[in-house]
Amino acid sequence: MLNFSKSKYCLAWQCPKLLWLSKYKPEEKTPNTSLESRFEKGNEVGDLAMRLFGDYTEVTAFKEDGKLDLEKMRQLTQEYIKNGVENICEASFNFEGLYCAVDILHKENGGYAIYEVKSSTHASHIYSVDIAYQKYVLEHCGVTVSGTYLICINPEYILGDELNLQEFFQIIDMSAEVNDELQNVPSLLKKAAQIYALKEEPEKDIGAWCRDPYNCDFWDYCTKKLPTPNVFNLYRINFKKALNHYYSGQISFEELINDNSITNPKQLRQMVHYLSPQEPEIDKDNVREFLETLSYPIYFLDFETMQPVVPEFKGTKPYAQIPFQYSLHYIKYEGGPLLHKEFLAESGTNPLRPIAEHLCQDIPKNV
């Protein structure tokens, strides 16, 4: 019996080798520093979405060791469905080892609708894959699925005096996409079972699936035999273009140079300097021309921003970049000392006006 979850199903959809490595060689993953932040944002958005349809019942349960009690959650879900509970969050199901937890199971139209919650601002095909797996499991557990929806963030929402959940979220009907993807579930599950049964690592070359829909955590592992540096290390190279060079056998810097296939000046300079180490290349004329445009006092400004997924300050949007700190070095006159000023907003307060006012004070107009 295949013990599976919707996250594993999505891995199988992206790349069978990714699924196998996740099970048998998880230690080969490259640590993803942004993953924890992404999970935190998702949890925050998920908690808010639970309140979209009014009162709700959450079935999350834990064992004494702190791990999720999946069987208890499944039992509670069945009990709540039997009792006609209108909104069940983290509703849990298990069909022959296929497990899933539905973000929001909402009673409507003679059945229950699946509402998948994401912290993104738009629909993506992988969400259809995710929801199709859930619908497959629920229907095999005897649930009448009356609809399939995506709850995501409205990027045009502007925070007023308080957060308006109905305006902050947008609900997208995914029925057509999900029903199309639903047809692929049985064959993909069969393929996943075959992958899990393999004792040897499956052969799978790198490709578009390494970045679509998500960056693969095993990229370093799967490319460890490539020369270093290689085409994927070129400055700002498009991944699809890099793959085309890779498939054509133009992988190392030497091969790329000899083939004359790279025309971007900065990428050419990068390869030349690596293959023939030399003194740093400085365009003195352009530097001199730029310096001549400057006049004292000279200011050097560095600032930091945050991007809260849920707007915290009136007049701001989801994911807006909010500056909250800056460091300002300056020189008043030629040969003068390097001086410093700084600003850090008070935690929990709207920093937009204070930081603007301090900048106006620290960098006077027409100086």
Side-chain angles (χ1 to χ4, degrees), residues 298-302 325-330 339-343 358-359 362-363:
I298 299 176
Y299 295 88
F300 309 89
L301 178 66
D302 176 57
Q325 181 269 341
Y326 67 76
S327 174
L328 177 67
H329 288 87
Y330 62 103
L339 304 174
H340 180 253
K341 293 182 179 180
E342 61 186 30
F343 171 83
H358 278 77
L359 275 174
D362 291 343
I363 307 179

Side-chain angles (χ1 to χ4, degrees), residues 61-274:
F62 296 92
K63 299 177 182 178
E64 291 183 359
D65 61 4
K67 294 181 180 180
L68 286 173
D69 191 336
L70 302 183
E71 179 56 24
K72 178 66 174 178
M73 292 170 65
R74 187 194 68 80
Q75 292 174 1
L76 287 172
T77 299
Q78 295 305 310
E79 178 183 333
Y80 294 145
I81 290 177
K82 183 179 179 181
N83 294 335
V85 174
E86 187 172 349
N87 298 302
I88 309 172
C89 297
E90 297 301 321
S92 301
F93 300 87
N94 193 316
F95 168 68
E96 296 183 352
L98 302 178
Y99 172 81
C100 76
V102 180
D103 290 336
I104 303 174
L105 196 64
H106 178 57
K107 190 176 183 181
E108 62 182 32
N109 301 327
Y112 276 94
I114 295 172
Y115 284 82
E116 176 70 10
V117 182
K118 298 296 183 183
S119 58
S120 66
T121 57
H122 60 276
S124 173
H125 183 67
I126 188 61
Y127 301 155
S128 303
V129 175
D130 186 325
I131 301 171
Y133 170 83
Q134 296 178 55
K135 184 175 183 180
Y136 178 88
V137 173
L138 266 64
E139 289 184 334
H140 281 80
C141 288
V143 178
T144 299
V145 178
S146 57
T148 49
Y149 302 90
L150 173 71
I151 298 175
C152 59
I153 295 168
N154 173 14
E156 299 305 317
Y157 173 72
I158 299 176
L159 181 64
D161 291 329
E162 59 183 25
L163 185 67
N164 185 320
L165 292 181
Q166 304 301 326
E167 295 178 2
F168 172 68
F169 286 111
Q170 56 179 328
I171 299 177
I172 303 173
D173 189 340
M174 303 289 286
S175 299
E177 297 88 342
V178 168
N179 289 335
D180 286 344
E181 193 60 45
L182 189 64
Q183 304 174 49
N184 302 322
V185 175
S187 59
L188 185 53
L189 287 173
K190 182 179 179 181
K191 184 177 181 180
Q194 294 171 345
I195 293 295
Y196 260 17
L198 293 176
K199 300 301 180 184
E200 299 294 330
E201 182 179 319
E203 291 289 334
K204 181 73 173 179
D205 200 359
I206 58 175
W209 45 87
C210 297
R211 299 282 178 88
D212 183 23
Y214 305 115
N215 289 342
C216 179
D217 292 338
F218 293 95
W219 171 261
D220 289 346
Y221 173 79
C222 291
T223 58
K224 62 184 179 182
K225 293 184 179 180
L226 296 185
T228 303
N230 56 64
V231 64
F232 297 103
N233 302 124
L234 283 177
Y235 174 76
R236 290 190 174 182
I237 191 167
N238 176 274
F239 185 65
K240 183 177 180 180
K241 186 175 181 180
L243 281 174
N244 289 336
H245 286 296
Y246 170 79
Y247 291 140
S248 300
Q250 304 155 359
I251 303 173
S252 69
F253 281 8
E254 291 88 345
E255 291 164 332
L256 291 164
I257 284 285
N258 293 334
D259 191 74
N260 295 317
S261 56
I262 298 295
T263 57
N264 182 291
K266 292 183 179 180
Q267 293 171 354
L268 281 171
R269 190 175 299 121
Q270 176 188 358
M271 292 189 294
V272 167
H273 276 265
Y274 176 80

Side-chain angles (χ1 to χ4, degrees), residues 26-65:
E27 71 280 358
E28 296 293 347
K29 282 185 178 182
T30 300
N32 190 336
T33 56
S34 65
L35 192 60
E36 184 176 342
S37 174
R38 196 169 72 203
F39 281 151
E40 288 177 357
K41 290 179 180 179
N43 290 337
E44 181 183 10
V45 171
D47 290 344
L48 285 174
M50 289 182 185
R51 296 153 40 193
L52 258 180
F53 303 110
D55 294 339
Y56 64 90
T57 302
E58 187 177 0
V59 303
T60 304
F62 296 92
K63 299 177 182 178
E64 291 183 359
D65 61 4

